[in-house]
Amino acid sequence: MGVLSTIVVAFWVMLPAYVPNNAAVLAGGGRPIDGGRTWGESRLLGDGKTWRGTAVGTAVGTGLAVVLNAIAGDIGSVLGTTLPTFPLAVALALPFGAMCGDIAASFLKRRTGRRRGAPFPVVDQLDFVVLALAFAFVAAPGWFRETFTIEVLAAVLVLTPILHVGTNVIAYWLGFKDEPW
Ligand code: CTP
Ligand code: MG
């Protein structure tokens, strides 16, 4: 696979993990997952992690994976490359893993004294990728090994922070997010 195809596949296969966080920003609000509970001085997770944001984020990511499955053939032939499709277990695991990674990062932020919205470089950019990949691996190990070659994984690790910073800056400019990270 050429470099360009590798980047296209990496982007495609991670789309169901990229979109949930942005959907959660738009859908957020309502009851926080931690129900206001604290651990030590700080909230367990904070008001930025809600049931609604998590549920909508996961559902949007899964819905997107189903849509991508339907158009993979056509888009693939236009681009001249074979695009992977998502088994149902993966269509659920990628977005749910992404949401859980983001939640785990908030847990770590609160334990390290960072307030809601405080930046946590590197963790903010990669938290969701690590758990999305881990959940996808558990959901479908064979599919995972076939799809996430070393080259694709490398592309994901380079591409993700760039896309994450870019989309968050845009969401901030558009007024959807309180901070540009
Ligand atoms: N959001 C949500 N549920 C989630 C994730 C995000 O409702 N599981 C919504 C919240 O409204 C949140 C916004 O999306 O404020 C932005 O998400 P994020 O930047 O992850 O949260 P922060 O508010 O910055 O909080 P934290 O410091 O815990 O990351
Ligand atoms: Mg934040």
Side-chain angles (χ1 to χ4, degrees), residues 109 117 124 177 179 181:
K109 284 187 184 179
D124 272 334
K177 247 175 122 356
E179 310 88 20
W181 50 76

